[in-house]
Amino acid sequence: MNLENIFSTYPILQNTPIQMILIIIIYAVLAKAVDLFISHGLSRLASLSSMKFDDEIVAAIHSPVYWTVFCLGILHALQLSDLNQPWRVILPNFTKSIILIIWTITSFRILRLTLRLSTLEGLLRRKIPINAFSIIRKLFRISILVTATIWFLGLWNVNLTPFFASAGIAGIAVAMAAKDSLANFFGGISIFMDSVFKEGDFIVLDSGERGEVLDVGMRSTRIMTRDDIQITIPNSILANTKIINESAPEPRFRIKVPVGVAYGSHPQAVEEVLLAVANDLRLVSKTPAARVRFRMLDASSINFDLLCWVEDPRQKGLVTHELLKRIYTALQEAEISIPFPQLDVHFKRN
């Protein structure tokens, strides 16, 4: 039996104000029932999972759902009213606007809960650059705000045709005037999506600059070179150039120290000396282990490469400096000669 049949059965209920009050009361009871279902049903179901994200989402939609059902009751009651213009239009649209505002605020809250580093890493199972959040948040916030604004204006029958026409013309003008800025913006998006590098990484550009990434912004990226010089590079250039990330995939850097010894030196003895020097230096990583490679029989020397790793690329210069000093001393102590180029000139008498 629907509400109309109930109202027609009892004459006292045929009074319009009484019908409106009863409808609002019924929707209030229904809203309370939905509230109890969310708080005792969905909340308990969400608590069974190991993630806190679903518990927070349920808590975020708890009150909005309750008030939405209650406002729907007001809309239903207003349909039975015999209000005169303009209240017949204003009151329903005002109630719809309240529902829209409630869910706009809720959307911002859900967006904030979703776009957290811990939440996204848990959902996507990957490392996400922290700098990407500022751009992603702004894009989604703008989308929510624009959608809510258009919906709000549509509720109040505002003609949006001139607005869209003006926005289209303005958009073309802005795109032509700011094409370089847009190229940098989308270049930054591609850097974030491809996870090319992040703050703290050491990169080498195709032009030869090498340094630590200080900041990845919406327009440009700043790096600090080993000479303590800050370089600002537009993202559109970085997105279309070759980049060597010395901090990826593992945050360590390999050092290669070439060493030449005189002919007559025993290769095994040279290898033992070089490995002992690398293993004794605290800054050299023990995993992977240092190694020595016999590279070349040169014109005046036997050439080896000492290969070892450091945990921080910033230590490359210091470790190379220490290795060269200790290698020179160790070879002298082992009586292994380090040759220097020599040129023998022979004069032939006619």
Side-chain angles (χ1 to χ4, degrees):
M1 183 177 293
N2 55 32
L3 293 176
E4 287 74 11
N5 293 334
I6 296 176
F7 293 153
S8 61
T9 303
Y10 301 96
I12 192 174
L13 299 180
Q14 295 180 4
N15 184 276
T16 300
I18 295 178
Q19 292 178 0
M20 295 175 63
I21 294 174
L22 286 176
I23 288 176
I24 293 175
I25 293 174
I26 291 172
Y27 273 88
V29 173
L30 180 61
K32 187 60 179 178
V34 174
D35 178 68
L36 292 174
F37 170 74
I38 294 176
S39 59
H40 293 83
L42 290 181
S43 296
R44 290 182 179 179
L45 185 63
S47 63
L48 297 177
S49 66
S50 58
M51 296 181 60
K52 294 183 179 180
F53 173 68
D54 48 0
D55 301 86
E56 295 170 338
I57 293 297
V58 171
I61 66 173
H62 189 179
S63 296
V65 171
Y66 174 85
W67 288 109
T68 299
V69 175
F70 184 79
C71 289
L72 289 177
I74 296 177
L75 288 175
H76 191 174
L78 288 174
Q79 291 178 354
L80 303 178
S81 66
D82 53 355
L83 295 173
N84 296 324
Q85 296 290 353
W87 298 108
R88 181 180 292 274
V89 176
I90 292 177
L91 290 180
N93 287 345
F94 181 76
T95 306
K96 293 177 183 178
S97 299
I98 292 177
I99 297 176
L100 178 61
I101 293 173
I102 289 174
W103 282 102
T104 301
I105 296 174
T106 304
S107 300
F108 281 117
R109 185 178 180 185
I110 294 175
L111 178 66
R112 179 179 58 83
L113 294 174
T114 305
L115 295 183
R116 291 184 306 184
L117 183 62
S118 58
T119 301
L120 283 181
E121 285 186 350
L123 293 175
L124 302 180
R125 298 291 188 269
R126 60 176 293 183
K127 184 67 177 177
I128 301 175
I130 297 177
N131 308 87
F133 287 99
S134 60
I135 293 181
I136 295 175
R137 285 195 188 101
K138 289 178 182 178
L139 290 177
F140 277 101
R141 285 174 179 171
I142 291 173
S143 301
I144 293 174
L145 185 60
V146 170
T147 303
T149 302
I150 294 175
W151 202 336
F152 179 83
L153 295 176
L155 287 176
W156 294 95
N157 297 321
V158 177
N159 187 10
L160 300 177
T161 302
F163 171 76
F164 286 124
S166 302
I169 297 174
I172 294 174
V174 170
M176 294 296 293
K179 62 178 182 178
D180 292 336
S181 298
L182 290 175
N184 292 328
F185 174 78
F186 288 108
I189 293 292
S190 66
I191 291 173
F192 293 138
M193 294 300 100
D194 294 339
S195 298
V196 179
F197 52 79
K198 60 183 182 299
E199 284 187 16
D201 284 356
F202 281 81
I203 62 174
V204 181
L205 304 181
D206 197 20
S207 55
E209 291 91 346
R210 174 183 178 268
E212 178 184 1
V213 178
L214 297 180
D215 177 66
V216 183
M218 297 179 62
R219 191 194 69 85
S220 61
T221 297
R222 294 183 293 114
I223 67 173
M224 181 69 72
T225 68
R226 298 302 298 152
D227 298 325
D228 292 332
I229 299 174
Q230 180 176 297
I231 301 177
T232 302
I233 308 166
N235 288 332
S236 59
I237 296 177
L238 287 177
N240 294 281
T241 190
K242 176 183 175 181
I243 299 174
I244 299 175
N245 191 342
E246 296 180 342
S247 301
E250 296 293 334
R252 55 174 175 250
F253 183 80
R254 193 181 80 165
I255 296 177
K256 181 173 69 172
V257 180
V259 178
V261 297
Y263 276 95
S265 304
H266 198 287
Q268 184 64 33
V270 176
E271 181 175 352
E272 292 176 357
V273 170
L274 297 180
L275 289 177
V277 169
N279 294 329
D280 289 341
L281 188 58
R282 182 181 56 84
L283 295 177
V284 173
S285 176
K286 301 303 182 284
T287 305
R291 63 192 68 169
V292 176
R293 293 293 180 263
F294 196 149
R295 293 303 187 193
M296 184 185 299
L297 298 173
D298 207 352
S300 58
S301 65
I302 305 173
N303 293 342
F304 295 82
D305 281 344
L306 172 61
L307 307 176
C308 56
W309 283 258
V310 291
E311 296 295 336
D312 190 342
R314 284 175 293 191
Q315 298 172 345
K316 174 187 175 182
L318 175 61
V319 173
T320 302
H321 167 74
E322 290 294 331
L323 285 174
L324 288 174
K325 287 198 309 181
R326 299 190 182 198
I327 287 172
Y328 180 78
T329 303
L331 290 178
Q332 281 189 327
E333 293 176 352
E335 297 183 351
I336 298 175
S337 300
I338 300 176
F340 52 88
Q342 298 182 15
L343 179 63
D344 294 333
V345 179
H346 299 274
F347 294 95
K348 183 178 180 180
R349 295 182 179 179
N350 292 331

